[in-house]
Each structure stands twice: as C-alpha cells, then as structure tokens.
Amino acid sequence: YDRTNTLSSRQTMVHLFEWKWTDIANECENFLQNYGYGAVQISPPMEHITINQNNDMPWWVRYQPVSYKLDSRSGTEAELQDMINRCNKVGVRVVVDAVMNHMVGVGERQGADGVGSTANSAFDGTDGVETFPSVPYAAPSFNDQRCHRDIQDSDYQNSAENVRNCRLVGLLDLDQGNQAVRTSLAGYLNKLIDMGVAGFRFDASKHMWPGDLMPILNMTKNLRSDIFGANVRPFAVHEVIDRGGEAVTCGDYLNIGRYTNFNFGAAVSNAAKGYANWQSLSHLGPGYSYGNYEDHDVLNFIDNHDNQRDDNPYVVTYKNGDQYRMAVAFMLAWSYGYPRVMSSFYFNDHNQGPPNNGAGSGFATRSPTFNPDLTCNSDSGWVCEHRWPTIRQMSLFRSVSSGRAAAEVVTQSNRIAFARESAAFFALNGQSGDWTQTFQTTLPPGEYCDQYNGALDNNQCTSLKVSVGFDGKAVITIKGNQVVAVSQASRVDGP
Ligand code: LAG
Ligand code: CA
C-alpha cells in the first residue's frame, strides 16, 4: 500500500485543504499538471455536521462524519466525480482523507442547537443512543463496551488500548473490530476507488488498531485498471502523530502503507528557525533521530493543517515567510520519502473556517482568485503555498530528480549542498556571509537558471545563472541565508 500511484515524473503531493471540488478540477488542469504535482490530498468528502459557531463554520466540521454520502462543504458527488475525472485526465491523482475512527462528537444531534448535516441525514449522537441511519450505524457499532470515556493525556504514554478504544476529543469511537463496521468502511473506500481515486490519507490511524486496518484495506478493490493499469492496490498513508515517548508508535503501521512522518518537518523546521544546524540534515533519512523509517515508509511534510494551528507551532508555516520557503525547498530537493506540500487559507483563529460567503449562504466556500504571476490573490483568502514561485519551481526540481540519489554532498557549519545524480543541484547557506565554491553539480554542461529566487522564463534566467562546465563543475556563490537550486527543468536551451 506504499506505492504512490502517481506518474513517475510527478513526485509531489499537494494538500488543497478545504478547496471545493470544482476549484480542484480547474487547478489540476490549469496549474498542477504544469508544475510537477502528482497528486492532491482532498478534504474529507463524506457527509458531515454543519454548525454555526460565532457566525462562522469551523474547518473541523469535516472531521465529524454523519454518513458516507458524498455531499460535503466541498461539493456534491457529481462534482467530486467530475473533479476526479478531470484530474486523472491530466495525470494528477486524487488522495482522499478518510475519516474511519469516529463519527460526530458525543451529544451532537441533528436539529439541536442549530446542528445539521450536509445531506440532511438524520443522526443522534446522544451518549448511548448513537444512531446514524444513513450508514447505518447504531450503538453496538461503537466502542462504548471497551471504553466509555475520552482519551486522557496520560493514556498517550501508558495505554495503546485507551488511545485506540476511547473517544478522541469526545468523538464517538467506531469499533473497527466489528464486521458490520468493517463492511461499511470498506464499502465507502470501494465507492471512491470506483470513482477513480488513487488512495487514502487515513485520519487518526493512531487511534485505530493496525490489526483492524489491515483487514479493512484487504477488503478494498484494486484501483481502476483503465486509469492505473492491472492489479494496482490503493495508496495508503496513516495519520500517526509519533514524535517519541508514546504507547502507539509509527512503527506499528509499517506493513499497511506509509505513515505521516512528523519528525521530518520538526527537524527541517528547527534548522529553518536557526535552532539546529543545516549540516546535520545531510543524515536526514532512514534512522535519523527518532521515527524516520525507510524511504517507502514515509510521507514527509513541513506543516499540516493541524500543527500550523498550534499556539506556538513547532514547525514553520506560511506565516514564517522566507524560513518556510527554505524548509519546503529543502524537503523537495532532498531525496527522502514522498513529499506533501501544504496549501492553506489565511487564518487568525484556529477554528476559523475557509473563506466563505457568510451565514446567508450557509458559509459557502469561496473560490481562489489568481494574480498575473500565478500566485493566489490574498484578498480571496487563500494562501496557495503550492503556487509560490519558489515552491512551484522546487516541485519541478523534484520531478526531474525522481529516482536520482543525492550525491556529492558538501557540508560546512550550517551549510549543505548536494546533487541529484545528473538531474539537479541544490545549495543552502545558513550562514550570514557568502559561500563561494567550485561544486560538482553532476549536471551536463550548459547554463542553468536558479529556480529558488527565479526561474527559466522564455529561455532566459530571471535571477542567477549558473554555468556548468564539461566536467560537471560550476563556481557558485550562495549569499547568506540563501539557496541556489538548478536542474534539468531550469536549463537554458534545455531539452
Ligand atoms: C485528525 N487526525 O488524526 C485530524 O487531522 C484533526 O484535524 C481532527 O481534529 C482529528 N484527527 C479528528 O478527526 C479536528 C479538530 C478538533 C475537532 C475535531 C472534530 O482539531 O478540534 O474537535 O476535528 O471536528 C471538535 C471540537 C472539540 C470537540 C469535538 C467533538 O474542537 O472541542 O470536543 O469537536 O464535538
Ligand atoms: Ca478508535
């Protein structure tokens, strides 16, 4: 389940958090296919609760399922199908955020206190009642007989049983050991597979037993052969937050797909913030520090939709500007794991929902609008990190580096440079003074444009030009706290 199922030349996933299906379809056609993005992670497509909280609808309603009907804040089933078709047609795969651990928060029920559901399904999450007729689930579908309370902070250190059987922040905890529950969940996944998705990001896998996830995954069909070829299994990445010292570890999930490697973003963010030395990241890979398993085991990212909302995020986010650019660029340049780029909306409050048209419209999500330089217009409320010039150029860099090992690694204090064998070269200078040196780039002779602060545009460089000699060497100056990145995708007179 660890194969990405992307085109071999498209190596980066983007999480279009809270985007509408119609907007994602356009984004696949107009942008993603041109910038090396191989897959898009979408917000949960199933029916979820609706609420009005302080005259807004928080983003996290998407993590409170009411049924597996494909009607959500992002759009209808027909819009979802159209988006999947259009993205696949241009070689961009769809990865679905699947919420299988739980249903709504205990006590939530349709009609009470302005709570509703996106497809108008009835539901009653009153403690002990717990009915979701549109699935259907009833009280025995839930884990109350094993644990009838919330997960406590101390459980995380002491008890894998409680982490997996008790309620996560009051959310009614499904019993994935129950055969009828397994059948409902696999049916949901199979419906999406029939629609043409490439795989799943499993929400809250830390809170489900690997021994239950495996049989559910084994109940899934092969992917559509007309899109993916014969006998292709779905991609799976499990949301397991494991930064060490807990009862549940990411190692528990190694044979059922990849896991979300939060240790990678922490390490790179520490360097970007100046708390750690960039030099040490030349060892960032299997066995580095805690929790970094093999290349095919990990989905790497700098920030995600949860930790970017922390009060003092331990990772860098779009709010960190240049530090963030540097962190994401390093992730995309370095040869480890399957990288995911976060694409956010601007927020001040951590509950704040996506840009929308207000209560009168049912808080209907607004579309992004675009500037002439292809970035998103900040007035539309969308950050679109994936469209930032550096990040979209580094996604191209990643594409041409696909399958090429890191080579010719050069380190000095707080400096790191490396090639991706015959395809690309990257140098990061974390000191404040210039770094001038002859580097072995491994690239064919020619002129290459820096694609960190510029790009190849109309066969010319908009920023620094790097000349590679017949021996693959180039003299390059990297300014203080700067990066130079060149690749086959930024070659003047390139193929
Ligand atoms: C996840 N990964 O394992 C998601 O990435 C994360 O965003 C989800 O939490 C979580 N697991 C459950 O799917 C989010 C918010 C929570 C929110 C929850 C359900 O971070 O704050 O809880 O989704 O909507 C909300 C309220 C809680 C309340 C709960 C139940 O914030 O105060 O207890 O609903 O009513
Ligand atoms: Ca659970």
Side-chain angles (χ1 to χ4, degrees):
Y1 298 106
D2 54 25
R3 279 187 42 182
T4 64
N5 298 330
T6 53
L7 299 185
S8 59
S9 61
R10 307 250 187 104
Q11 291 287 304
T12 304
M13 189 197 298
V14 55
H15 181 195
L16 294 180
F17 177 57
E18 283 284 6
W19 280 45
K20 288 193 288 190
W21 309 149
T22 49
D23 293 331
I24 294 176
N26 291 336
E27 193 69 356
C28 285
E29 293 173 345
N30 300 337
F31 186 82
L32 299 179
Q33 66 157 328
N34 301 323
Y35 282 92
Y37 290 101
V40 42
Q41 179 184 317
I42 64 170
S43 282
M46 82 286 141
E47 182 178 18
H48 56 85
I49 61 161
T50 56
I51 57 172
N52 181 334
Q53 189 183 74
N54 306 321
N55 201 31
D56 186 23
M57 182 140 73
W59 60 272
W60 45 252
V61 293
R62 308 296 294 268
Y63 294 95
Q64 296 201 35
V66 165
S67 80
Y68 302 118
K69 291 182 182 169
L70 296 172
D71 256 309
S72 70
R73 194 181 200 179
S74 286
T76 64
E77 177 173 342
E79 288 165 339
L80 177 65
Q81 179 68 75
D82 183 60
M83 179 269 279
I84 295 168
N85 293 346
R86 287 166 61 191
C87 289
N88 275 323
K89 201 164 187 179
V90 296
V92 180
R93 303 312 184 199
V94 175
V95 173
V96 172
D97 193 345
V99 184
M100 308 202 304
N101 177 62
H102 54 262
M103 299 297 280
V104 304
V106 63
E108 303 286 13
R109 89 193 143 82
Q110 199 203 27
D113 305 318
V115 171
S117 52
T118 46
N120 274 316
S121 291
F123 67 98
D124 190 340
T126 304
D127 204 359
V129 181
E130 305 172 25
T131 50
F132 298 83
S134 291
V135 179
Y137 288 141
S141 313
F142 295 89
N143 264 329
D144 292 359
Q145 53 306 5
R146 296 202 277 184
C147 178
H148 200 157
R149 61 165 176 83
D150 282 5
I151 301 167
Q152 310 292 303
D153 283 350
S154 60
D155 289 331
Y156 285 98
Q157 284 83 57
N158 307 330
S159 172
E161 279 74 19
N162 291 345
V163 169
R164 285 168 172 151
N165 297 342
C166 303
R167 294 172 181 166
L168 170 62
V169 294
L171 298 157
L172 294 174
D173 204 61
L174 283 167
D175 176 7
Q176 292 85 14
N178 176 315
Q179 194 56 40
V181 170
R182 286 183 181 176
T183 302
S184 295
L185 293 172
Y188 171 50
L189 303 180
N190 279 331
K191 171 149 195 194
L192 292 160
I193 287 173
D194 283 340
M195 292 174 78
V197 307
F200 305 96
R201 174 257 188 200
F202 289 104
D203 181 66
S205 285
K206 178 183 192 167
H207 302 279
M208 298 183 279
W209 294 95
D212 290 335
L213 289 169
M214 174 79 95
I216 293 168
L217 271 171
N218 288 342
M219 287 164 81
T220 59
K221 305 177 177 186
N222 288 332
L223 298 185
R224 288 242 313 248
S225 59
D226 58 329
I227 302 168
F228 299 94
N231 302 317
V232 178
R233 301 299 296 150
F235 167 72
V237 57
H238 297 280
E239 176 84 344
V240 183
I241 304 179
D242 172 19
R243 302 189 54 221
E246 295 194 21
V248 173
T249 72
C250 48
D252 302 348
Y253 295 80
L254 293 183
N255 55 355
I256 48 173
R258 297 185 185 232
Y259 66 90
T260 50
N261 182 14
F262 285 82
N263 303 294
F264 181 95
V268 179
S269 294
N270 277 337
K273 290 178 181 176
Y275 303 160
N277 194 313
W278 282 102
Q279 182 177 20
S280 66
L281 298 192
S282 65
H283 301 290
L284 182 50
Y288 179 90
S289 176
Y290 176 79
N292 292 285
Y293 284 89
E294 297 299 315
D295 187 81
H296 64 92
D297 291 325
V298 294
L299 179 88
N300 290 335
F301 47 95
I302 301 302
D303 59 330
N304 80 345
H305 71 279
D306 287 322
N307 63 21
Q308 71 174 189
R309 287 175 166 69
D310 289 351
D311 283 340
N312 282 302
Y314 66 91
V315 289
V316 286
T317 75
Y318 76 86
K319 298 184 185 187
N320 296 93
D322 282 345
Q323 291 180 341
Y324 190 65
R325 283 206 301 154
M326 205 178 257
V328 176
F330 180 83
M331 170 179 76
L332 294 174
W334 189 239
S335 61
Y336 179 45
Y338 182 17
R340 181 179 66 191
V341 168
M342 179 70 207
S343 190
S344 317
F345 57 82
Y346 293 96
F347 65 90
N348 302 311
D349 181 275
H350 73 99
N351 294 311
Q352 191 179 320
N356 65 74
N357 293 320
S361 71
F363 305 104
T365 304
R366 277 203 316 254
S367 297
T369 59
F370 306 105
N371 298 315
D373 69 359
L374 304 183
T375 57
C376 286
N377 188 328
S378 54
D379 292 342
S380 71
W382 298 96
V383 184
C384 303
E385 295 92 316
H386 71 290
R387 280 178 170 252
W388 289 8
T390 297
I391 294 177
R392 71 195 190 212
Q393 285 295 321
M394 290 306 299
S395 176
L396 289 173
F397 177 113
R398 180 98 183 172
S399 292
V400 297
S401 305
S402 153
R404 308 300 179 95
E408 303 290 343
V409 181
V410 178
T411 59
Q412 295 179 2
S413 181
N414 219 14
R415 291 173 168 168
I416 181 168
F418 54 90
R420 299 292 299 271
E421 197 70 68
S422 316
F425 175 80
F426 181 88
L428 185 157
N429 177 11
Q431 291 189 25
S432 50
D434 285 3
W435 183 15
T436 302
Q437 187 167 316
T438 303
F439 293 98
Q440 175 52 261
T441 68
T442 74
L443 285 161
E447 315 231 82
Y448 296 82
C449 301
D450 171 36
Q451 50 192 147
Y452 184 86
N453 281 310
L456 174 70
D457 185 34
N458 272 318
N459 211 31
Q460 298 209 330
C461 297
T462 61
S463 179
L464 184 75
K465 193 196 286 179
V466 170
S467 298
V468 174
F470 284 95
D471 53 3
K473 290 182 179 166
V475 183
I476 305 174
T477 296
I478 308 106
K479 293 202 160 64
N481 289 308
Q482 271 295 342
V483 172
V484 171
V486 294
S487 76
Q488 295 277 19
S490 72
R491 184 177 175 184
V492 180
D493 295 320

